[in-house]
Amino acid sequence: MMEGGAKKELLRVQHLKKYFQTPAGLLYAVDDVNFSINQGDTLGVVGESGCGKSTLGRTILRLHEPTSGEVLFDGVDIMRLNKAQMKEKRKQMQIIFQDPYESLNPRLTVSQAIQAPMIIQGLYKASDKEGLERRTLEMMDLVGLARRLVNTYPHELDGGRRQRIGIARALALNPRFIVCDEPVSALDVSIQAQILNLMQDLQQELGLTYMFITHDLSVVKHLSTQIMVMYLGQMVEMGTPRQIFENPCHPYTKALLSAIPIPDPAKKMERIQLHGELTSPINVGPGCRFAKRCVYARPECFASSSQLKEVEPGHVVACHLVEHTVDEAGASGLSE
Amino acid sequence: MAFLDIKDLQVDYVTEDGVVHALNGVDLEVMEGETLGLVGETGAGKTTLAKCIMGLLPQRTGRIRSGEIYYDGKDLLKMSLKEMQKIRGAHIAMIFQDPMTSLNPVLTVGDQIAEAVQNHENCKRDEAMKRAEEMLELVGIPAERAGDYPHQFSGGMKQRVVIAIALACNPKFLIADEPTTALDVTIQAQVLEMMQDLKRKFHTSMLLITHDLGVVAQNCDRVAVIYAGEVVEYGGIFDVFKGMRHPYTKGLFSSIPQIQNEVTRLAPIPGMMPDPMDLPEGCKFCTRCQHATQRCREEHPQLVQVGEGHWARCFLCEQEGKVKE
């Protein structure tokens, strides 16, 4: 879990914003998010539904065009790439979608689904049946799909197997970075564990870098090297799993952690009360977006938004109530 | 005495492709005032069990092969539709899984609660509406919102409305089928806490169906683990969570990443649940169990008592106690 200085930075996101125009006003889905991921690491992104975590993942891949901001992949700002250059880059940046029941074309067989990205990206010609087949079987072996399933359709397969197709598709192009958007949320626990193990093995084997989006904090703790907590489009806290789980500083992180039901009847939960529910990300005013639900909110919380502060090396928090505990050394790469 | 007593319940679904064996001899008792957790994966038969108790099994495909469900000394499965309608809502109520689809989008929430009240109590409409407003306040929604439609509420609020409907006639027994699965953790915690409070207030007994072991640990008195239409282990919450005996129960626990302990690699249960149209002869879990022997494949294990009120369906526990007849 040590932060290796030798690790190379793969992705850097700077001041990324994505606003949507709605009839009710501007929706601040992603609002000035900054972070970086090192090669081979996993960044876990957690938050409640509607906090903008999926939009963040998609904007990084330019599946949504950002309102503003930069995404440096390997030092290149991909937001400046033209269509052809972007297509080339996509070989290296893939996504695994949440719901394996909806993300696969019901009219394509397993082999057609896995081959589609390879043909589109020109790795193989559509006429090169032999090459395509070899690669397809290779991918199926890699993700643990039995070869006999090569000509089946998605509706014949269960959720776990379908998600393996989604993973095989993403891996078929030899990517370096994968956005995993709730890849196990739709699966049963025993199948979920199989898929999580598979993803860990593939990461080791192929040196993959993951951005793992989920609402399940225990999954995030299990997988991540860094965790980012999002609330209404903004990052409220980021740190290593140990920092986030043992020393959560933002009141929202604390409340989120205290709400997880512990599978141990001897440990009764002491829940930190939250007022109400997620407020709307449309036309947000000044001030901390969490203030309305926060039990510790003070007048200044409603007046101005808080900047990210580094509370310990590598652990940043955006909250008025958190004091700078790292002195002059707190020159964080993230806060300004 | 058991409040609700399910005996040897066997249910099939007859489909075009074949007969699906959804429940294969379930015995369960719910005591007065307790919360019984029912845990299992998709397809284990959790929802089928709930539907049987409510008399909501699909008529065209569902078939009860055998079994009895005693409530208040009477067998629910032998009741006529008329009798069942009197029980449903007033004595036994159900909270459905998905609040997004279990409310009627073209009726105000007040109307939907009042409808439940009027079905069972001989009262005027304005009395029923007044009751609906009280129920809304009870679940933490301002009474003024009774005239709003479901789409004007968030997920957590909708589930509160569903709970208000279920509790509107003061039922003695509540079936909650994955009541918080569709909700975020912070909202889940609020809703579960509220359900616990209301349960205490009205002395309701509850069957809580979930796949989340954390939810069970924090909310139930006893727990039953169901696999392929069979209860494989049941007992007091501490007995099962601290001294689980069935390999499937153990597998479930080792599959979930837990916040408290550091595990670098999960130990999932290999394989998948057997096809309910083609279940193994012997133990239903034998295809995925690492301890399976020839006997497990041929002979069907019975529930064995492994502790005070703690039962497990596994040959490994056979030496320890008496077999349930």
Side-chain angles (χ1 to χ4, degrees):
Chain A
M1 292 287 172
M2 281 295 289
E3 273 204 53
K7 270 188 181 167
K8 202 170 148 273
E9 181 181 286
L10 182 71
L11 187 87
R12 173 170 281 267
V13 171
Q14 285 176 329
H15 305 293
L16 193 68
K17 294 178 185 166
K18 176 65 195 174
Y19 304 156
F20 292 102
Q21 192 67 54
T22 70
L26 261 193
L27 188 151
Y28 296 81
V30 176
D31 201 3
D32 202 4
V33 171
N34 300 281
F35 65 89
S36 64
I37 313 178
N38 287 337
Q39 192 143 0
D41 278 2
T42 301
L43 172 74
V45 181
V46 279
E48 294 175 274
S49 38
C51 74
K53 52 193 193 303
S54 287
T55 308
L56 175 66
R58 287 167 188 225
T59 309
I60 287 171
L61 298 178
R62 275 182 86 182
L63 297 177
H64 294 309
E65 286 299 329
T67 306
S68 71
E70 292 176 348
V71 175
L72 301 168
F73 184 80
D74 237 357
V76 180
D77 183 6
I78 62 165
M79 297 304 166
R80 292 170 196 274
L81 300 180
N82 65 27
K83 221 174 159 187
Q85 290 168 322
M86 192 60 218
K87 185 178 167 188
E88 192 58 33
K89 254 307 179 254
R90 282 198 203 284
K91 283 183 197 168
Q92 297 181 26
M93 312 173 79
Q94 288 288 313
I95 182 165
I96 299 169
F97 291 100
Q98 171 167 10
D99 190 344
Y101 294 86
E102 283 173 11
S103 59
L104 292 172
N105 184 336
R107 299 180 58 167
L108 295 187
T109 62
V110 172
S111 69
Q112 286 169 328
I114 298 175
Q115 286 169 10
M118 299 193 270
I119 297 170
I120 292 167
Q121 285 286 359
L123 253 64
Y124 293 90
K125 287 207 181 68
S127 55
D128 182 9
K129 292 272 187 291
E130 204 179 307
L132 274 170
E133 191 160 321
R134 190 162 15 87
R135 179 78 179 150
T136 306
L137 293 177
E138 214 177 282
M139 295 318 298
M140 288 177 74
D141 291 346
L142 188 66
V143 299
L145 272 172
R147 287 183 170 207
R148 66 184 157 82
L149 300 173
V150 69
N151 288 321
T152 53
Y153 286 91
H155 76 265
E156 299 175 75
L157 304 171
D158 61 282
R161 287 202 176 114
R162 282 187 225 198
Q163 199 54 292
R164 286 176 200 263
I165 303 176
I167 297 172
R169 253 169 91 86
L171 290 176
L173 300 170
N174 278 325
R176 295 166 64 199
F177 173 66
I178 302 181
V179 173
C180 314
D181 189 359
E182 306 247 17
V184 294
S185 308
L187 307 175
D188 270 317
V189 279
S190 71
I191 308 299
Q192 175 177 324
Q194 293 175 6
I195 298 290
L196 289 176
N197 278 350
L198 170 69
M199 293 182 65
Q200 272 184 315
D201 292 345
L202 291 170
Q203 179 168 41
Q204 295 251 309
E205 218 169 295
L206 309 171
L208 298 169
T209 307
Y210 289 144
M211 176 167 157
F212 201 98
I213 299 167
T214 179
H215 64 271
D216 189 332
L217 286 143
S218 29
V219 168
V220 139
K221 176 171 188 248
H222 178 69
L223 283 180
S224 309
T225 33
Q226 288 279 310
I227 294 177
M228 168 164 130
V229 183
M230 275 186 85
Y231 190 80
L232 284 188
Q234 293 178 325
M235 168 165 121
V236 294
E237 186 160 2
M238 182 160 167
T240 62
R242 179 155 296 162
Q243 288 166 342
I244 297 286
F245 281 84
E246 283 170 20
N247 181 25
C249 293
H250 198 283
Y252 178 63
T253 314
K254 288 182 188 169
L256 206 56
L257 292 178
S258 75
I260 309 170
I262 307 162
D264 182 347
K267 292 203 178 97
K268 284 293 162 201
M269 292 159 66
E270 278 176 44
R271 196 165 71 77
I272 297 169
Q273 281 281 341
L274 277 188
H275 304 309
E277 302 187 13
L278 206 67
T279 43
S280 161
I282 297 173
N283 290 335
V284 286
C288 171
R289 290 183 189 176
F290 183 61
K292 278 183 205 139
R293 296 175 76 190
C294 183
V295 279
Y296 310 107
R298 293 198 295 214
E300 70 251 39
C301 298
F302 293 95
S304 68
S305 62
S306 49
Q307 297 300 311
L308 284 171
K309 289 167 224 164
E310 191 165 47
V311 286
E312 55 187 309
H315 184 181
V316 290
V317 183
C319 178
H320 280 302
L321 306 179
V322 173
E323 302 298 328
H324 254 284
T325 49
V326 176
D327 306 314
E328 69 296 333
S332 156
L334 295 159
S335 56
E336 293 179 326
Chain B
M1 207 198 78
F3 184 69
L4 185 93
D5 195 355
I6 302 173
K7 285 190 189 318
D8 189 34
L9 189 62
Q10 302 187 25
V11 176
D12 291 341
Y13 290 109
V14 183
T15 69
E16 278 177 17
D17 300 324
V19 179
V20 175
H21 303 291
L23 292 179
N24 303 295
V26 170
D27 295 273
L28 274 183
E29 294 169 334
V30 184
M31 302 298 167
E32 184 144 20
E34 80 165 351
T35 302
L36 174 70
L38 185 63
V39 191
E41 295 178 87
T42 315
K46 307 188 295 288
T47 302
T48 301
L49 183 67
K51 284 183 174 167
C52 279
I53 301 172
M54 291 296 283
L56 294 174
L57 211 58
Q59 284 188 342
R60 213 163 48 83
T61 52
R63 204 176 59 194
I64 296 170
R65 237 184 313 148
S66 79
E68 288 126 39
I69 301 176
Y70 288 102
Y71 168 79
D72 207 8
K74 278 172 283 190
D75 185 356
L76 293 178
L77 298 177
K78 293 210 172 66
M79 283 191 182
S80 68
L81 183 64
K82 267 246 156 63
E83 287 174 298
M84 202 59 216
Q85 278 170 346
K86 286 209 179 96
I87 296 271
R88 230 184 265 151
H91 291 262
I92 306 179
M94 183 157 170
I95 299 170
F96 293 91
Q97 174 166 6
D98 188 353
M100 316 300 158
T101 56
S102 54
L103 290 171
N104 186 335
V106 298
L107 290 181
T108 65
V109 298
D111 279 336
Q112 297 187 51
I113 304 171
E115 186 189 3
V117 176
Q118 280 189 299
N119 276 346
H120 293 286
E121 282 163 37
N122 194 10
C123 65
K124 292 232 172 61
R125 205 191 126 69
D126 47 338
E127 284 171 51
M129 268 321 264
K130 206 163 159 276
R131 179 72 170 279
E133 286 174 8
E134 285 167 22
M135 288 312 297
L136 281 178
E137 291 278 354
L138 194 69
V139 296
I141 299 174
E144 309 82 270
R145 299 206 62 186
D148 285 354
Y149 290 89
H151 77 268
Q152 292 168 292
F153 292 87
S154 65
M157 302 272 259
K158 274 187 228 173
Q159 195 60 300
R160 284 169 193 262
V161 173
V162 173
I163 292 169
I165 295 173
L167 293 177
C169 298
N170 257 328
K172 296 185 184 65
F173 184 60
L174 192 60
I175 302 171
D177 187 3
E178 307 251 14
T180 55
T181 306
L183 308 176
D184 278 315
V185 274
T186 58
I187 311 301
Q188 162 170 293
Q190 289 175 1
V191 169
L192 286 173
E193 226 159 77
M194 186 195 76
M195 285 174 62
Q196 285 295 331
D197 286 347
L198 295 175
K199 196 185 139 280
R200 246 172 268 134
K201 206 161 161 187
F202 298 117
H203 300 287
T204 323
S205 314
M206 184 154 78
L207 179 68
L208 179 62
I209 299 175
T210 178
H211 64 270
D212 189 329
L213 294 166
V215 169
V216 172
Q218 297 298 325
N219 293 282
C220 299
D221 305 304
R222 287 194 308 140
V223 58
V225 182
I226 185 168
Y227 182 80
E230 260 182 2
V231 173
V232 292
E233 181 158 4
Y234 82 90
I237 188 87
F238 281 92
D239 296 329
V240 174
F241 275 65
K242 295 293 184 189
M244 60 199 93
R245 305 305 302 273
H246 197 281
Y248 177 64
T249 317
K250 291 179 187 169
L252 275 185
F253 275 90
S254 62
S255 294
I256 48 168
Q258 294 194 28
I259 299 278
Q260 311 93 305
N261 14 342
E262 304 260 343
V263 187
T264 46
R265 207 179 153 76
L266 300 170
I269 306 168
M272 274 167 303
M273 187 125 65
D275 182 355
M277 286 191 209
D278 182 24
L279 290 172
E281 284 271 305
C283 173
K284 307 270 186 291
F285 188 59
C286 72
T287 51
R288 302 172 78 183
C289 182
Q290 51 178 342
H291 308 290
T293 61
Q294 193 56 33
R295 184 177 173 211
C296 299
R297 281 181 271 274
E298 286 162 359
E299 200 181 320
H300 184 238
Q302 297 301 313
L303 281 171
V304 177
Q305 187 163 22
V306 291
E308 180 68 34
H310 182 186
W311 302 77
R313 192 184 291 279
C314 182
F315 289 129
L316 292 176
C317 311
E318 217 172 24
Q319 270 77 30
E320 298 179 38
K322 65 171 194 219
V323 173
K324 192 167 187 173
E325 71 291 339

